[in-house]
Amino acid sequence: MPPKWPRQPTREDPEYRRLDDRMNFAVHVALFAACNSGLLFFHQLHVTNWAWGKWITLVWSIILLIHLIYIFGIVDYSTKSNG
């Protein structure tokens, strides 16, 4: 059974926003791992010369690193005062 959020989930709730951002990052990492392992698998089979595969991995790794820095270093999840 999935965990239940104790109140109505909204992006204005800092705790929910933090959890949502980290879950989105986890999905991003899982998609990165799945796609790049598939690229590596077909590269190892020598199906074709996919020289562009390493560039996809490099660019996606940089994007993933930027996402990581944003989630764990830049974003402020504290409650914002109105006024």
Side-chain angles (χ1 to χ4, degrees):
M1 181 171 254
K4 297 194 185 245
W5 195 253
R7 53 194 170 276
Q8 181 65 31
T10 64
R11 287 289 292 172
E12 288 77 32
D13 183 0
E15 291 177 39
Y16 178 76
R17 188 169 154 227
R18 180 178 179 179
L19 177 65
D20 187 42
D21 287 348
R22 289 183 180 202
M23 287 174 32
N24 285 336
F25 179 71
V27 169
H28 190 179
V29 169
L31 189 61
F32 171 81
C35 290
N36 283 295
S37 66
L39 281 173
L40 182 62
F41 174 75
F42 286 109
H43 177 72
Q44 292 296 324
L45 287 178
H46 302 290
V47 173
T48 184
N49 185 10
W50 286 354
W52 49 265
K54 63 182 171 187
W55 292 107
I56 289 177
T57 301
L58 178 67
V59 170
W60 202 346
S61 297
I62 292 169
I63 292 170
L64 194 62
L65 180 64
I66 292 168
H67 194 174
L68 175 79
I69 291 169
Y70 176 75
I71 293 297
F72 291 100
I74 296 174
V75 71
D76 180 20
Y77 293 108
S78 63
T79 56
K80 295 179 174 81
S81 62
N82 296 330

